[in-house]
């Protein structure tokens, strides 16, 4: 129950207002009900204690009204303390003991005190945290750094005991294998798990906590109830989970989570993680081979990524008046308010410290820090109520796992602050959607970044490595741009790509004039090492420092621009598990590196091979405006991947050249390619079916009745409902997954858009008191709502 508190005057002392207070209680007659309490409520301390052991008050401001906060420094020194408070709402009242944790009090708006690293990373079983417990079991510190421990059951038993002791010390009594089924965008957390208790009983009935290496390494589950593209069925349902040694075990609440891979009885990948591992492995092996042919010895290559997670935060009360947001994550109707993002006032503006967004973002970061996720960046994005988080970069497998937990934590914490987090790519029409920029780089085991030419030349001793690597990357983009387009074919990208807010649905790369000119000189026979140019910027003010600008500008219209030391896949959707995105990129690199190696091993000159490769595929480089009207016909003339719709892009999965690519590199076999295409098409169709169903219900239950109540004829709207129902029927009657998805695409982009115009026109003329659906004005302007309703936890 969310309770709003007002200031009280009390003869015992200053008035007290407890903000950010969430009180759970059960009433005998209504034990199963949890309702939003909107009547004014008051909280009064039952007893005022002296300074040394009780509560003192400190004046503050919350949402513009006078309030009083508990001071951290005046609370008892225990980790938490029961504080009896008298709570009244309306004519009823009760006394309840309330736990106030010192840590929570400090974090939630009291006097925060000095910054501290205490608790950061303690719920992640890695590094020094893990070594403390591993050494107790007779294992060496750093045992987990070598993934071969999973091959030795005796070592696995000791690791399991160490994990169990660590978890019990933190109050956890359950565990699970945590895995990532395919097409899980609408699954909370995009993951799956079965939580098991550590508690067991011995032969005499005595309880004990127990966890073994066998439990840690492997478990069995049902594979038929997850999206599988026909690889599993009810009569062939066995599937298995096994620990992923490259992603650390973490703890939340009373359970610890073991990142795991998910496969079928016959070894087919049923998840997002196994293909990603396969792609990293083949890319690393191909890199070792190529570098050896170039006279450079390395033992492996690491794929690092950094993900920028965009989202919307909207008022929870308004969200519950939108069936479409609840069921599909996107508004299928809604008139634009008089104000949108025209003033660019939201982008990187101050986050309102008096509102719920800032408190939610702080708590999201705190929860992430506990499990070792370095969520270092928080800021407003372009659209109203749009925000972004970004962590430090790291190895791809761990970063994908962390991003899934970030999204789950965002959703859960937002709810505690009276908000809802929308992670879908385009929840609102007429304003920017959300992406998840995938900053992708490759680094040798000795720390040389392949896309940092100066560092690469210094550490490898070979300045020609960089142009050879760039030739391979450009060739891969040109030849397999359709696969890159397939990897971002989420339903939400229907409305985001090419809308002057995100890159177009054309795959190319931006290098900038500096590197492009260098590669042009390289093609002409100039073997001078690349030296990035810089420019000094004088601001014309004597006291201000002179700025140093890098060689390249930023091109936000390119789907895959070079950004200095990394490429940024900007077209990735905000709701995506980016495993497939990086699986595709790594597989393309492995293929191109191997092709160059084969020719060198056959006796050809490495420089000559790179020049020929670059010259054949340089058309994939485009340094211009990707939003320009002339780019699409130019891209088609160049033969680039121009694939406007998501169903068409998904079908590139099973084009023969792409199946051969995956098969040669042992990432997907033909069966897995076909199954994943089916899963992606079915997911697209299912999303559209949900949206159509929501639109029909909202029109029948809200829009049409409102029109009638306002005295207008609903004839056009009723015809729209029939058109939607006919479209839904066509989807259901189609005889293949491809046909269903293509019909769904037409219904979504044509029928639904035409009907939406009718609904939005109706909203424009119906009096506000008769319109029963939360409007864009209700949803999009948290700052302007301050003082109307107070949302606290």
């Amino acid at each position: 129950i969310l309770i709003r508190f007002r200031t009280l005057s009390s003869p015992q002392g200053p008035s007290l207002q407890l903000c950010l207070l969430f009180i759970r209680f059960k009433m005998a007659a209504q034990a199963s009900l949890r309702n939003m309490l909107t009547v004014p409520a008051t909280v009064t301390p039952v007893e005022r204690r002296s300074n040394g052991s009780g509560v003192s008050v400190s004046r503050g401001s919350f949402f513009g009204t006078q309030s009083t906060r508990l001071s951290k420094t005046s609370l008892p020194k225990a980790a938490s303390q029961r504080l009896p408070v008298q709570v009244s709402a309306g004519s009823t009242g009760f006394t309840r003991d309330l736990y106030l944790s010192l840590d929570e009090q400090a974090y939630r708006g009291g006097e925060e005190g000095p910054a501290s690293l205490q608790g950061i990373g303690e719920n992640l079983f890695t590094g020094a945290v893990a070594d403390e417990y591993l050494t107790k079991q007779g294992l060496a510190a750093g045992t987990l750094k070598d993934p071969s421990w999973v091959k030795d059951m005796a070592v696995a038993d000791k690791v399991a005991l160490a994990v169990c002791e660590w978890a019990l010390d933190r109050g956890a009594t359950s565990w699970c294998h945590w895995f990532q089924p395919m097409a899980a965008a609408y699954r909370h957390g995009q993951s799956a798990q079965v939580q098991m208790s550590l508690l067991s009983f011995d032969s005499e009935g005595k309880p004990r906590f127990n966890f073994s290496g066998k439990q840690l390494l492997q478990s069995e589950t049902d594979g038929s109830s997850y999206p599988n593209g026909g690889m599993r069925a009810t009569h062939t349902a066995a599937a298995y989970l096994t620990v992923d040694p490259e992603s650390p075990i973490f703890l939340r609440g009373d359970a610890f989570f073991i990142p795991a891979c998910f496969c079928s009885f016959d070894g087919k990948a049923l998840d997002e993680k196994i293909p990603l591992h396969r792609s990293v492995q083949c890319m690393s092996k191909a890199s070792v081979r190529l570098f050896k042919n170039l006279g450079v010895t390395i033992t492996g290559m690491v794929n690092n990524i950094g993900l920028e997670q965009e989202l919307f935060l909207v008022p929870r009360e308004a969200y519950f008046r939108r069936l479409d947001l609840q069921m599909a994550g996107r508004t299928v109707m809604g008139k634009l308010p008089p104000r949108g993002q025209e003033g660019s006032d939201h982008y990187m503006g101050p986050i309102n410290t008096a509102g719920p967004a800032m408190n939610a973002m702080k708590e999201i970061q705190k929860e992430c820090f506990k499990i070792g996720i370095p969520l270092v960046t928080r800021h407003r994005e372009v659209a109203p109520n749009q925000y972004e988080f970004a962590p430090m970069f790291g190895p791809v497998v761990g970063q994908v796992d962390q991003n899934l937990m970030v999204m789950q934590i965002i959703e859960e914490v937002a709810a505690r602050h009276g908000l809802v987090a929308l992670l879908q790519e385009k929840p609102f029409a007429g304003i920017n959607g959300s992406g998840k920029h995938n900053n992708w780089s490759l680094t040798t085991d000795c720390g040389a970044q392949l896309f940092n030419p100066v560092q690469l030349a210094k550490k490898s001793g070979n300045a020609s490595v960089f142009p050879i690597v760039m030739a391979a990357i450009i060739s891969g983009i040109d030849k397999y741009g359709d696969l890159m387009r397939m990897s971002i074919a989420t339903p939400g990208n229907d409305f985001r790509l090419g809308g002057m807010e995100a890159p177009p649905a054309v795959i190319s790369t931006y290098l900038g004039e500096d590197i492009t000119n260098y590669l042009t000189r390289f093609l002409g026979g100039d073997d001078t090492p690349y030296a990035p140019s810089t420019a000094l910027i004088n601001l014309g003010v004597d006291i201000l420092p002179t700025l140093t600008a890098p060689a390249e500008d930023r091109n936000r219209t390119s789907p895959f621009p070079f950004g200095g030391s990394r490429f940024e896949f900007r077209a990735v959707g905000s709701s995506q598990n980016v495993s497939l995105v990086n699986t595709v990129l790594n597989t393309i690199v492995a293929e191109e590196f191997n092709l160059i190696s084969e020719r060198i091993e056959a006796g050809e000159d490495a420089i000559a091979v790179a020049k020929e490769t670059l010259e054949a595929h340089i058309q994939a480089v485009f340094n211009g405006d990707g939003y320009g009207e002339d780019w699409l016909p130019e891209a088609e003339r160049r033969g680039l991947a121009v694939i406007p719709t998501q169903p068409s892009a998904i079908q590139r999965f099973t084009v023969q050249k792409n199946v051969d690519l995956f098969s040669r590199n042992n990432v997907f076999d033909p069966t897995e390619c076909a199954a994943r295409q089916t899963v992606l098409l079915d997911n697209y169709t299912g999303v559209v079916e949900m949206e159509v169903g929501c639109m029909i219900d909202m029109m029948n239950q809200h829009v049409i009745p409102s029109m009638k109540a306002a005295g207008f004829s609903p004839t056009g709207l009723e015809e729209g409902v029939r058109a939607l129902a006919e479209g839904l029927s066509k989807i259901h009657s189609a005889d293949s997954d491809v046909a269903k998805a293509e019909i769904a695409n037409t219904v979504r982009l044509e029928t639904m858009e035409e009907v939406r115009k009718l609904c939005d026109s109706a909203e424009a003329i119906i009096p506000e008191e008769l319109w029963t659906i939360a409007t864009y004005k209700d949803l999009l302007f948290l700052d302007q709502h301050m003082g109307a309703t107070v949302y606290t936890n």
Side-chain angles (χ1 to χ4, degrees):
I1 294 178
L2 278 72
I3 300 183
R4 179 174 50 169
F5 299 101
R6 286 186 176 175
T7 303
L8 277 184
S9 293
S10 169
Q12 284 81 18
S15 58
L16 171 65
Q17 177 188 22
L18 292 181
C19 298
L20 301 172
L21 176 61
F22 187 69
I23 298 177
R24 294 194 181 104
F25 65 92
K26 294 181 180 178
M27 299 178 68
Q30 296 177 313
S32 64
L33 297 181
R34 294 181 179 179
N35 299 318
M36 298 291 289
L37 190 63
T38 58
V39 298
T42 58
V43 177
T44 309
V46 174
E47 175 186 3
R48 180 169 178 80
R49 303 187 180 108
S50 64
N51 266 347
S53 61
V55 179
S56 69
V57 292
S58 117
R59 293 284 179 183
S61 177
F62 188 71
F63 290 154
T65 60
Q66 189 182 50
S67 64
T68 307
R69 296 175 180 167
L70 295 179
S71 168
K72 173 185 176 182
T73 56
S74 64
L75 287 172
K77 294 182 179 180
S80 61
Q81 171 70 37
R82 287 184 183 272
L83 299 176
V85 295
Q86 178 72 37
V87 180
S88 62
S91 59
T92 63
F94 60 91
T95 300
R96 183 170 180 84
D97 285 345
L98 172 69
Y99 273 117
L100 287 180
S101 161
L102 288 181
D103 180 54
E104 290 180 358
Q105 169 61 22
Y107 200 81
R108 297 188 182 187
E111 296 176 10
E112 298 194 9
S116 172
L117 296 177
Q118 185 176 359
I120 303 299
E122 67 178 9
N123 289 343
L124 186 70
F125 194 74
T126 189
V129 172
D131 289 345
E132 176 186 348
Y133 292 89
L134 292 170
T135 53
K136 291 180 183 180
Q137 301 300 327
L139 297 174
T143 294
L144 299 183
K145 292 181 180 179
D146 181 358
S148 65
W149 69 265
V150 302
K151 307 287 187 178
D152 188 330
M153 183 57 74
V155 175
D157 278 331
K158 293 181 179 180
V159 171
L161 289 173
V163 170
C164 187
E165 183 182 0
W166 164 76
L168 292 173
D169 281 351
R170 284 158 179 77
T173 56
S174 297
W175 67 278
C176 67
H177 280 121
W178 179 76
F179 59 104
Q180 302 164 21
M182 292 183 280
Y186 284 87
R187 172 187 288 267
H188 177 55
Q190 298 194 26
S191 63
Q193 60 199 254
V194 175
Q195 296 192 5
M196 307 288 290
S197 177
L198 293 170
L199 182 66
S200 62
F201 295 90
D202 63 18
S203 58
E204 297 180 356
K206 294 181 179 179
R208 63 178 182 177
F209 293 113
N210 185 56
F211 187 59
S212 68
K214 183 179 179 180
Q215 291 172 299
L216 172 62
L217 293 181
Q218 180 177 325
S219 62
E220 183 178 354
T221 188
D222 167 32
S224 65
S225 298
Y226 300 98
N228 59 72
M231 291 190 291
R232 294 282 79 193
T234 307
H235 65 292
T236 54
Y240 300 95
L241 299 165
T242 185
V243 63
D244 177 4
E246 289 196 0
S247 192
I249 296 168
F250 61 93
L251 184 151
R252 291 192 74 211
D254 72 341
F256 62 87
F257 298 76
I258 306 167
C261 300
F262 180 40
C263 71
S264 68
F265 179 80
D266 52 358
K268 304 295 184 187
L270 297 177
D271 66 351
E272 304 283 0
K273 185 182 277 281
I274 292 174
L276 180 59
H277 270 293
R278 292 172 180 170
S279 74
V280 172
Q281 178 174 282
C282 74
M283 178 274 296
S284 180
K285 290 180 177 180
S287 299
V288 171
R289 179 187 181 188
L290 176 61
F291 273 59
K292 180 181 178 181
N293 286 319
L294 298 178
V296 182
T297 301
I298 62 173
T299 58
M301 190 74 69
V302 178
N303 171 207
N304 288 317
I305 64 170
L307 300 171
E308 304 170 40
Q309 181 66 59
E310 296 176 350
L311 65 140
F312 282 84
L313 293 174
V314 301
R316 199 164 190 83
E317 180 273 334
Y319 168 83
F320 282 121
R321 291 189 286 122
R322 294 289 312 210
L323 178 66
D324 47 6
L325 284 181
Q326 293 178 62
M327 298 292 106
R330 179 177 82 89
T331 56
V332 297
M333 62 182 70
K335 183 184 76 69
L336 287 172
R339 174 179 173 182
Q341 60 191 45
E342 298 86 352
S344 300
D345 57 315
H346 200 269
Y347 189 51
M348 295 193 183
I351 305 172
N352 195 323
T353 58
M358 184 57 156
N359 288 330
M361 295 181 80
K362 289 171 64 176
E363 188 176 349
I364 288 165
Q365 283 184 296
K366 177 190 174 186
E367 291 298 313
C368 289
F369 291 156
K370 285 181 180 179
I371 56 176
I373 300 176
L375 206 62
V376 296
T377 301
R378 67 186 186 212
H379 67 86
R380 292 188 192 251
E381 258 297 335
V382 173
N385 285 14
Q386 190 181 34
Y387 298 87
E388 179 182 303
F389 288 106
M392 297 294 288
F393 70 90
V396 63
V397 174
Q399 288 295 300
V400 170
D401 288 1
Q402 289 187 0
N403 179 251
L404 295 186
M405 281 310 306
V406 167
M407 290 195 287
Q408 180 175 333
I409 289 169
I410 286 172
E411 290 186 327
E412 293 172 352
V413 172
R416 296 202 286 266
H417 291 265
L419 302 170
V420 171
L422 304 177
L423 296 166
Q424 211 253 31
E425 285 78 7
K426 192 74 173 179
F428 303 102
I431 58 174
N432 275 21
S434 297
K436 178 158 28 197
H437 303 162
N438 188 103
N439 294 278
W440 175 81
S441 67
L442 300 175
T443 306
T444 67
D445 55 354
C446 63
Q449 294 186 349
L450 263 62
F451 307 135
N452 184 328
V454 175
Q455 184 187 81
L456 181 60
K458 181 178 180 180
K459 292 199 173 186
S460 68
N462 185 347
S464 66
V465 174
F466 178 68
I468 293 171
V469 166
M470 292 300 288
I473 300 296
I474 292 168
S475 173
I477 294 170
D478 188 35
K479 291 158 62 177
Y480 299 105
D482 60 335
L483 268 185
M484 294 173 65
R485 174 69 179 88
M486 178 277 298
S487 73
I488 56 169
T490 66
N493 266 345
D494 260 343
F495 301 99
R496 176 174 165 266
L497 296 183
M500 300 298 181
E501 60 179 273
V506 180
I507 300 300
S508 65
T509 185
Y510 163 87
L511 299 182
E513 296 304 321
D514 204 55
I515 290 183
T516 303
N517 290 337
Y518 162 73
L519 293 176
T520 301
R521 294 194 301 271
F522 172 76
L523 284 174
D526 185 348
D527 60 357
T528 304
Y530 175 69
S533 61
T534 58
L536 298 180
I537 301 176
N538 190 319
L539 301 179
V541 179
D542 293 342
I543 65 170
L544 296 180
T546 299
L547 302 178
T548 301
E552 305 302 343
D553 205 340
R554 298 183 67 184
N555 190 334
R556 296 167 61 87
T557 71
S558 174
F560 197 65
F562 181 75
S565 300
R566 93 279 186 199
F567 283 87
E568 181 182 13
F569 205 166
R570 293 182 55 83
V572 178
S574 56
S575 70
Q576 284 192 255
N577 178 324
V578 298
S579 292
L580 181 58
V581 170
N582 291 284
T583 296
V584 166
L585 294 177
N586 290 330
T587 306
I588 291 172
V589 169
E591 176 76 2
E592 295 302 314
F593 281 7
N594 281 329
L595 287 175
I596 294 175
S597 287
E598 288 172 7
R599 295 180 64 180
I600 297 173
E601 291 162 3
E604 295 188 57
D605 178 71
I607 299 295
V609 171
K611 289 180 179 179
E612 183 180 323
T613 300
L614 184 60
E615 190 168 11
H617 301 287
I618 195 69
Q619 61 267 18
V621 177
F622 177 65
N623 293 332
D625 182 4
Y627 292 168
E629 294 181 359
D630 57 345
W631 170 229
L632 183 60
E634 170 64 16
E636 291 175 337
R637 186 190 66 78
R638 295 187 183 196
L640 301 182
V642 181
I643 309 173
T645 71
Q646 313 316 310
S648 298
I650 292 169
Q651 292 175 65
R652 305 304 295 179
F653 216 137
T654 55
V655 172
Q656 192 59 51
K657 73 176 182 69
N658 296 334
V659 174
D660 293 343
L661 168 74
F662 286 128
S663 297
R664 276 194 303 272
N665 291 282
N666 299 312
V667 174
F668 294 118
D669 65 22
T671 299
E672 290 172 320
C673 287
R676 283 173 189 266
Q677 175 173 297
T678 297
V679 167
L680 292 173
L681 289 170
D682 288 350
N683 179 65
Y684 182 88
T685 301
V687 167
V688 176
E689 287 175 329
M690 287 188 284
E691 290 180 352
V692 174
C694 288
M695 197 171 203
I696 290 173
D697 284 353
M698 291 170 73
M699 292 176 71
N700 284 334
Q701 297 168 13
H702 295 276
V703 181
I704 291 175
S706 293
M707 281 287 281
K708 292 179 178 178
F712 298 109
S713 171
T715 302
L717 291 165
E718 291 169 343
E719 292 174 355
V721 169
R722 287 192 290 271
L724 292 171
E726 290 172 5
L728 198 57
S729 177
K730 289 179 181 179
I731 295 172
H732 293 161
S733 61
D735 59 2
S736 70
D737 50 16
V738 171
K740 288 177 183 291
E742 290 178 342
I743 294 171
N745 181 255
T746 300
V747 171
R748 193 185 205 202
L749 300 184
E750 296 180 13
T751 307
M752 290 184 68
E753 288 299 291
E754 288 301 315
V755 175
R756 177 179 188 140
K757 293 176 184 177
L758 299 174
C759 296
D760 294 353
S761 296
E763 182 183 348
I765 62 174
I766 292 175
E768 184 177 7
E769 65 272 14
L770 298 179
W771 187 257
T772 56
I773 301 172
T775 66
Y776 274 28
K777 179 177 71 70
D778 299 329
L779 290 158
L780 286 174
F781 298 96
L782 279 174
D783 288 353
Q784 284 67 38
H785 295 167
M786 294 302 95
T789 306
V790 175
Y791 300 102
T792 68
N793 56 333

